[in-house]
Amino acid sequence: MRPRLSVVAPCFNEEEGLPEFCRLVEEACITTVGTSFEIVLINDGSRDGTWNVMSNIAANKSRVVAINLSRNYGHQIALTAGLHACRGERILIIDADLQDPPELLEQMMALMDEGAEIVYGQRRKREGETLIKSWTAAIFYRLLRKLVDIDIPLDTGDFRLMSRRALDVLNSMPEQSRFIRGMVSWIGLKQVPLLYDRQARFAGSTNYPFSKMLRLAFDAITGFSIMPLRLASYLGVAMGCASMAMIGYSLLSWAMGSAVAGWTSMMTMMLLIGSTQFLVLGMFGEYLGRMYMETKRRPLYVVDSVAGNIAVAPAMSAPQHRLMAS
Ligand code: UDP
Ligand code: MG
């Protein structure tokens, strides 16, 4: 039988904070669902004693499951491994550094009882983070919103409670470069925010240096938008217009006899070739973008509910548990 709740937390170099994290999460679980829960911890190739601490906790507590990945895959893949392994009816995704308060579980569960399919934590403010981190995060989320067609909520991380149904859809997405919060937004269904203040880290320091953040940002933009490819088309059109004006100008100079011999024809050729190249590149981009989107093999849509007596098979492929192997 499924436990009522699974808590999934990816861990990378979290040895200091892990025991306290487990204690607080356990407490929050017991007050909300009694004993019907599991805590799934994933060790994402930590370089400190995280695995020792984690496996000790799992040996002593029957409700804790510890998964050791073969190396550091990064937060999103580690989380995916946990999401594939967990069995609960509801799933709480949480960071292991206590920046997301486990006490919020009760309110999240209540919102889900009222019919939400996904309850996501939305940050009101961030404590203990550098100005650069909060600014880059703020700029990134706003830029992302402009670039992608789905509604990815602002200032939201992966801290959220999901229903089994929503998780099954997420698990059915086989793509390699994963931006989980975007993929969850893509699912749709009833998603409601819960505002909270993000705490400072309990112990250790951030494992998201600028390079990892940049990679996440690229995964987010390229995973949900072919805008960068489309830019070539826009550039081509803009250059085409500018070329027309320039060609007019060089013809005029030639007619008035003020142009050096050969200049007009050379300018015309150069401009025409240049702008045509951009246009053709843009066309390539359009097809490439579509091919890229197609290769993701996402389900085409998610059915929320069906009324009446229609037999509709929801378009969901079976979960593909292959990320842990690949
Ligand atoms: N994490 C992970 N693998 C990584 C980096 C981070 O599993 O390569 C985990 C980390 O242990 C934490 C969560 O992902 O539970 C968020 O990471 P972090 O707190 O370093 O990011 P920040 O909160 O600073 O954005
Ligand atoms: Mg953190």
Side-chain angles (χ1 to χ4, degrees), residues 36-48:
S36 183
F37 68 90
E38 62 174 3
I39 301 176
V40 181
L41 303 172
I42 307 95
N43 176 34
D44 185 21
S46 298
R47 286 185 262 278
D48 63 359

Side-chain angles (χ1 to χ4, degrees), residues 4 11 42 57 85 141 148-149 157 161 212 214 225 247:
R4 284 182 61 200
C11 311
I42 307 95
I57 298 175
Y141 283 118
V148 307
D149 337 319
L161 183 67
K212 276 190 186 168
L214 211 60
S225 159
I247 288 170

Side-chain angles (χ1 to χ4, degrees), residues 14 95 97 99 129 198 201 206:
E14 303 281 5
D95 281 356
D97 56 6
Q99 282 195 284
E129 283 182 352
R198 192 158 162 88
R201 252 179 175 277
T206 178

Side-chain angles (χ1 to χ4, degrees), residues 2-283:
R2 290 188 183 286
R4 284 182 61 200
L5 177 72
S6 295
V7 178
V8 179
C11 311
F12 177 67
N13 297 348
E14 303 281 5
E15 63 174 349
E16 285 165 75
L18 210 50
E20 177 69 1
F21 169 76
C22 284
R23 196 182 66 75
L24 286 173
V25 167
E26 207 171 16
E27 229 175 74
C29 289
I30 288 171
T31 45
T32 39
V33 293
T35 54
S36 183
F37 68 90
E38 62 174 3
I39 301 176
V40 181
L41 303 172
I42 307 95
N43 176 34
D44 185 21
S46 298
R47 286 185 262 278
D48 63 359
T50 299
W51 177 244
N52 277 339
V53 177
M54 194 186 271
S55 46
N56 272 333
I57 298 175
N60 290 319
K61 294 183 196 259
S62 58
R63 291 187 187 82
V64 177
V65 183
I67 298 172
N68 196 21
L69 295 186
S70 59
R71 62 172 169 89
N72 177 251
Y73 285 89
H75 178 212
Q76 302 286 297
I77 299 292
L79 181 54
T80 304
L83 293 176
H84 282 162
C86 70
R87 296 164 306 135
E89 282 163 17
R90 291 179 180 183
I91 300 90
L92 178 74
I93 301 176
I94 190 167
D95 281 356
D97 56 6
L98 287 174
Q99 282 195 284
D100 308 322
E103 317 77 88
L104 289 186
L105 177 63
E106 208 168 343
Q107 290 176 53
M108 289 177 145
M109 289 292 267
L111 284 168
M112 205 173 257
D113 289 338
E114 287 164 20
E117 208 72 42
I118 290 156
V119 182
Y120 56 90
Q122 195 163 33
R123 297 156 190 165
R124 231 177 342 220
K125 67 171 189 237
R126 305 163 156 251
E127 266 169 42
E129 283 182 352
T130 59
L131 219 55
I132 295 190
K133 173 124 190 173
S134 3
W135 280 0
T136 46
I139 292 172
F140 167 65
Y141 283 118
R142 278 154 189 82
L143 177 73
L144 188 63
R145 226 179 149 77
K146 291 258 179 302
L147 286 180
V148 307
D149 337 319
I150 50 165
D151 197 12
I152 299 177
L154 290 172
D155 304 317
T156 302
D158 288 313
F159 181 42
R160 65 192 67 218
L161 183 67
M162 298 176 72
S163 67
R164 171 51 56 179
R165 185 160 76 129
L167 181 68
D168 282 345
V169 179
L170 180 65
N171 280 346
S172 78
M173 299 188 196
E175 54 218 63
Q176 297 279 317
S177 41
R178 299 176 85 77
F179 180 62
I180 292 174
R181 59 205 81 158
M183 292 159 72
V184 172
S185 299
W186 178 92
I187 296 174
L189 302 177
K190 188 170 181 204
Q191 310 204 4
V192 298
L194 177 68
L195 291 177
Y196 76 109
D197 297 325
R198 192 158 162 88
Q199 309 295 312
R201 252 179 175 277
F202 175 74
S205 60
T206 178
N207 297 310
Y208 255 102
F210 192 66
S211 57
K212 276 190 186 168
M213 271 174 32
L214 211 60
R215 203 167 75 199
L216 185 71
F218 272 64
D219 276 347
I221 292 170
T222 57
F224 289 90
S225 159
I226 52 168
M227 195 56 163
L229 282 171
R230 191 158 282 163
L231 271 179
S233 304
Y234 294 158
L235 257 171
V237 172
M239 277 199 46
C241 294
S243 302
M244 284 305 151
M246 269 305 285
I247 288 170
Y249 170 70
S250 48
L251 282 177
L252 202 72
S253 314
W254 170 74
M256 295 193 330
S258 60
V260 184
W263 180 77
T264 312
S265 52
M266 215 182 72
M267 277 307 281
T268 312
M269 285 312 288
M270 242 178 59
L271 291 165
L272 278 177
I273 291 174
S275 51
T276 321
Q277 266 175 346
F278 265 103
L279 267 176
V280 173
L281 265 181
M283 276 184 234

